[in-house]
Amino acid sequence: MAQLAYLVIREGTKWSDVFRLIPGQSVLVGRAPTNQIVIKDERCSRTHLEVFLADGQWTIRDLESRNGTIVGNEVIHGDYVLKPNDVIRIGHTQLVFVYKLSEAFTDVSTVIRRSSPDSENLPILPLEDESSVLTAGEPTTITHRRGSTKFLAPSGEEDTGVSKIGRAAAKLCRLAFELAKAPDEVGLAELALKGLVEETHTDAGAVLLMPWRFQGDAQGENLEILASQSISAHRYHRISNFLASTVMREGEAVLARNVIGDSTLGNRDSQGEILATSVICAPIRRGRKAFGVIHLYSTTADLQPDPDDLEFTLAVADTVAVALENLHRRQELTENLTQVRAENVQLRERLGVRSDIIGRSPAIRQVTEEIARAAASTATLLIRGESGVGKELVARAMHFNSPRSENVFVCLNCAALSAELLASELFGHERGAFTGATERKIGKFEAAHKGTLMLDEIGEMSPGIQAKFLRVLEGHPFERVGGTKPITADVRVIAATNRDLEKDVADGRFRRDLYFRLRVLEIVVPALRKRPEDIPLLADFFLERFNNETGRKIKGFTPAASAKLLSYQWPGNVRELKNVIERAVVLCRGQEIDESDLLLTSLTAPGDTDITGPAAGVFAPVSLDDVERHHIENTLNYTHWNKSKTASILGIERSTLDRKIRRYGLGNGEEEG
């Protein structure tokens, strides 16, 4: 049988460790923590050399190290048979090969010998290094390593330790259930530690994590103690930065026994008091990257963690990682939802978008009913009304009550652009299509695919654009300006205008076929002066809105101000009312808006004219619609309701007369074909 041999390690001027060479087992030496002998020297390669028994002689083999291996004064190549007292040099580290430990310390004048059952194999040490004598003559050794745990693997038959494994699995299942319910990180860590200390042969430990959203390489000094626990007489002592960094970098849990006095594992306090005899450290991993560790240790020789404790700790660490990930995702979702809601409210307020139409008048109720009936359809819609009545608001209400509400709503004002720019906005353009077209642009039709496109002031569209627009409405593909590729889009078109399109058609300014294509459905939005009962509601609504925006606390309107609001004709309709209230909120000096705070214009409403009363001889303002209704009715009565003759007198077509009769609600029993 081969004789036992030892490698005695000296770093600098001190002997730091002793490693027993066992026949039949090869030993790897290097800087990586996976080696049996770890050399913390920058000149040492990750796996530097191998020591093994061959033909009854201990031999070393340099594993193509970067800086080479020196034995005595000779750089070795290939295999080298060791002789007693050979000194192996790796950087600044020395390893002495001996058969008896006493041979390695013959240069020490003051020594101390400890008694043990195997006293002849114990090293003779200097007094200042007495702490490096290891329990029962064993050196500090990482005895087991695991990269994954069998407790979280699919169940299978176990040949040994069935009862213990079953007990640990049940404990792990209950612990995982509790961790999933933890409200925060600290509560989660405390639950995990409690279960670990109860199940493993340890009496102190902690859960340490990297700061949330930490950027960079994880190091031990960056770890923060989330929770710690100790049932021994000593408070928890933080893990060494070296051990924590190694475990996180390698992604493997380690169990180390007999670690008394090992400074790299941090097991003595500043007064030299022993803190640990055995240590378990497991990484908390997200995929292959560790973002924390679980650190456990025992402070007495009675508690000796075993490989099953390592298995259980790694299983808990992986479970904690999943629970933390879920907790962080819940927190992120909550934060994102809150932020999105706040941004949505701010954006809606900034843009002035409201999905509800303000008003209780019969005219507004009729508009709301028409929206409800037309929303489900995909037919084109024409919205008519004076400027400022809220045609875009009606279009938005139509979109958000339609099956397309989950898709985009796009709005374009046709009056604000030239014919060339309008074509580019509607259909897009290719790069280089015209001067200034430096890149491809997607048109409004493409942008509104599966959604709704509102074209405001449709009557201002040029005849050339009208022809192309009509083809798209009829389902034909279109091309970008300067392009050749046909494009189709599924878009519902809503057009709006304040013009008299019938007159424009008669004058040749608007295509007759486009007019009929747009006017499949029609909604007429009444002017504000025709629904005076809605004025107080709108005024209060805008007052509250601008109070919130400016921080003012104006309570309302004086009776004189309310009367002035009701008597005014509002030629600018709801838009003008909004601006008047906003100005009044800014300039008001009292707690209520007074008549003097309302800055109104002297403009007349569209359609108003000077009509002298036949009897009174005074001005009576009426709308053009009222004048037209009375004139048509009088002409029909004059012709005894001969529609053809009436249309000839009025200078309009028969179909136009029929539409106006229905619009104004005229009729008697003497209708003629």
Side-chain angles (χ1 to χ4, degrees):
M1 181 176 180
Q3 184 180 357
L4 290 178
Y6 300 88
L7 285 176
V8 182
I9 304 170
R10 181 165 63 185
E11 296 177 350
T13 60
K14 294 184 179 181
W15 300 100
S16 63
D17 206 348
V18 176
F19 196 90
R20 184 170 62 185
L21 300 175
I22 301 175
Q25 296 183 5
S26 63
V27 177
L28 292 176
V29 180
R31 182 163 46 86
T34 52
N35 295 290
Q36 284 80 0
I37 299 179
V38 179
I39 304 297
K40 297 184 287 295
D41 191 313
E42 62 181 10
R43 295 177 60 84
C44 179
S45 299
R46 289 183 60 84
T47 305
H48 198 98
L49 61 84
E50 181 182 13
V51 182
F52 56 93
L53 189 66
D55 298 328
Q57 293 180 308
W58 287 101
T59 304
I60 66 170
R61 176 182 297 162
D62 184 85
L63 301 177
E64 298 181 356
S65 62
R66 182 181 58 189
N67 296 305
T69 303
I70 300 175
V71 179
N73 295 318
E74 178 185 353
V75 178
I76 67 169
H77 301 281
D79 295 350
Y80 179 89
V81 177
L82 290 170
K83 299 180 293 295
N85 298 318
D86 272 346
V87 178
I88 306 167
R89 292 183 174 85
I90 301 175
H92 299 292
T93 304
Q94 299 179 11
L95 296 86
V96 180
F97 174 77
V98 295
Y99 286 113
K100 292 185 178 181
L101 289 175
S102 58
E103 297 174 356
F105 306 100
T106 56
D107 59 331
V108 180
S109 57
T110 305
V111 298
I112 183 170
R113 182 181 296 277
R114 290 194 174 193
S115 60
S116 74
D118 191 17
S119 59
E120 68 272 16
N121 289 330
L122 282 176
I124 303 172
L125 299 177
L127 286 173
E128 64 269 23
D129 288 336
E130 180 184 357
S131 61
S132 65
V133 179
L134 307 179
T135 305
E138 291 290 338
T140 298
T141 307
I142 295 176
T143 59
H144 298 81
R145 293 179 181 271
R146 292 288 293 180
S148 60
T149 174
K150 60 188 177 185
F151 288 135
L152 295 183
S155 60
E157 295 184 0
E158 299 286 347
D159 54 351
T160 60
V162 175
S163 60
K164 186 173 182 179
I165 292 176
R167 192 166 56 249
K171 177 68 176 180
L172 181 63
C173 181
R174 291 191 297 269
L175 185 59
F177 181 74
E178 294 298 326
L179 293 177
K181 298 189 297 181
D184 52 40
E185 291 180 344
V186 175
L188 188 150
E190 290 176 347
L191 282 171
L193 280 179
K194 180 181 178 182
L196 284 165
V197 173
E198 289 177 355
E199 186 65 24
T200 62
H201 296 87
T202 58
D203 53 11
V207 175
L208 302 94
L209 292 180
M210 302 298 297
W212 179 233
R213 295 188 175 95
F214 176 83
Q215 299 294 328
D217 295 332
Q219 299 295 330
E221 57 265 24
N222 303 130
L223 290 171
E224 297 177 352
I225 298 177
L226 195 61
S228 62
Q229 182 176 345
S230 177
I231 59 175
S232 68
H234 309 282
R235 63 181 179 83
Y236 168 74
H237 185 67
R238 183 184 174 94
I239 188 174
S240 70
N241 293 336
F242 171 76
L243 179 59
S245 300
T246 301
V247 169
M248 287 194 295
R249 182 177 63 253
E250 300 298 331
E252 291 184 331
V254 299
L255 164 61
R257 297 174 179 163
N258 305 313
V259 296
I260 297 175
D262 191 333
S263 60
T264 62
L265 300 183
N267 297 296
R268 283 181 179 269
D269 61 15
S270 57
Q271 288 76 35
E273 183 181 359
I274 295 174
L275 297 173
T277 61
S278 299
V279 173
I280 292 177
C281 187
I284 301 174
R285 303 171 289 195
R286 184 186 294 114
R288 294 185 177 181
K289 185 176 181 180
F291 60 96
V293 297
I294 291 180
H295 176 219
L296 301 173
Y297 61 85
S298 59
T299 58
T300 65
D302 297 336
L303 288 175
Q304 289 293 324
D306 55 29
D308 285 336
D309 292 333
L310 179 66
E311 293 272 5
F312 184 78
T313 303
L314 183 56
V316 172
D318 288 346
T319 305
V320 167
V322 173
L324 283 171
E325 185 78 5
N326 292 335
L327 186 62
H328 290 162
R329 287 179 179 175
R330 290 200 302 268
Q331 292 173 348
E332 286 182 346
L333 287 173
T334 301
E335 293 173 0
N336 292 340
L337 181 60
T338 302
Q339 181 179 358
V340 168
R341 285 176 175 173
E343 291 176 351
N344 189 36
V345 171
Q346 294 173 3
L347 184 60
R348 288 172 65 86
E349 291 179 353
R350 190 179 306 127
L351 297 177
V353 176
R354 293 293 183 273
S355 59
D356 296 328
I357 298 176
I358 306 299
R360 300 176 183 172
S361 64
I364 284 298
R365 286 201 299 268
Q366 180 179 350
V367 170
T368 304
E369 292 173 358
E370 291 175 351
I371 291 173
R373 290 195 297 267
S377 172
T378 59
T380 55
L381 170 69
L382 179 62
I383 303 176
R384 310 179 71 147
E386 296 176 6
S387 178
V389 295
K391 297 187 290 295
E392 183 177 343
L393 185 63
V394 173
R396 289 183 180 275
M398 183 72 70
H399 170 74
F400 289 119
N401 286 279
S402 73
R404 299 171 179 259
S405 60
E406 298 298 324
N407 298 312
V408 67
F409 176 86
V410 179
C411 184
L412 177 64
N413 191 318
C414 300
L417 303 170
S418 64
E420 293 78 10
L421 289 178
L422 181 57
S424 173
E425 287 293 325
L426 280 174
F427 310 114
H429 63 252
E430 297 289 347
R431 180 179 180 181
F434 49 84
T435 303
T438 57
E439 59 184 13
R440 172 187 288 180
K441 179 179 179 179
I442 301 299
K444 300 299 184 184
F445 264 103
E446 287 183 80
H449 182 60
K450 298 294 184 181
T452 303
L453 172 63
M454 178 192 175
L455 298 177
D456 200 4
E457 305 297 346
I458 191 70
E460 306 297 332
M461 187 178 289
S462 67
I465 302 299
Q466 290 179 28
K468 189 172 182 180
F469 179 49
L470 177 61
R471 284 185 54 81
V472 177
L473 285 182
E474 292 176 343
H476 296 283
F478 60 92
E479 298 171 356
R480 300 190 188 100
V481 177
T484 57
K485 179 182 177 181
I487 301 170
T488 58
D490 177 13
V491 178
R492 183 183 188 182
V493 174
I494 298 178
T497 184
N498 61 356
R499 297 176 61 95
D500 186 351
L501 291 184
E502 290 84 358
K503 187 174 185 302
D504 289 344
V505 169
D507 294 342
R509 290 194 296 267
F510 199 82
R511 293 180 63 98
R512 179 185 299 269
D513 47 4
L514 178 58
Y515 168 73
F516 289 115
R517 186 65 182 83
L518 289 175
R519 194 174 166 269
V520 177
L521 299 173
E522 184 182 54
I523 293 179
V524 178
V525 184
L528 183 57
R529 63 183 174 276
K530 293 187 178 181
R531 50 186 183 107
E533 55 267 61
D534 291 336
I535 293 176
L537 293 175
L538 288 165
D540 290 339
F541 172 78
F542 290 128
L543 174 60
E544 180 181 1
R545 174 179 173 181
F546 294 122
N547 267 339
N548 294 333
E549 289 185 2
T550 61
R552 301 292 302 273
K553 297 182 179 180
I554 299 174
K555 297 181 180 179
F557 302 87
T558 64
S562 298
K564 188 172 183 179
L565 291 174
L566 288 171
S567 63
Y568 184 59
Q569 290 298 300
W570 300 109
N573 293 291
V574 180
R575 183 185 294 118
E576 182 185 8
L577 175 61
K578 170 190 170 185
N579 295 334
V580 167
I581 301 302
E582 183 177 12
R583 185 186 303 112
V585 169
V586 173
L587 301 179
C588 179
R589 298 180 179 179
Q591 295 185 346
E592 291 183 322
I593 293 177
D594 197 7
E595 182 181 8
S596 60
D597 299 319
L598 301 174
L599 184 59
L600 305 178
T601 70
S602 58
L603 297 175
T604 59
D608 284 358
T609 184
D610 293 342
I611 298 180
T612 302
V618 296
F619 172 73
V622 295
S623 67
L624 184 60
D625 286 347
D626 290 338
V627 173
E628 185 179 48
R629 179 175 61 82
H630 286 297
H631 183 64
I632 292 175
E633 185 176 21
N634 291 335
T635 305
L636 285 168
N637 291 333
Y638 174 79
T639 61
H640 303 290
W641 280 81
N642 186 322
K643 294 182 181 180
S644 299
K645 186 175 181 180
T646 300
S648 177
I649 294 174
L650 296 175
I652 59 177
E653 295 185 0
R654 168 68 181 270
S655 60
T656 302
L657 177 62
D658 289 335
R659 182 183 63 79
K660 292 182 179 293
I661 290 174
R662 291 193 297 272
R663 178 178 177 182
Y664 295 129
L666 304 177
N668 67 6
E670 302 180 1
E671 297 188 8
E672 183 178 316

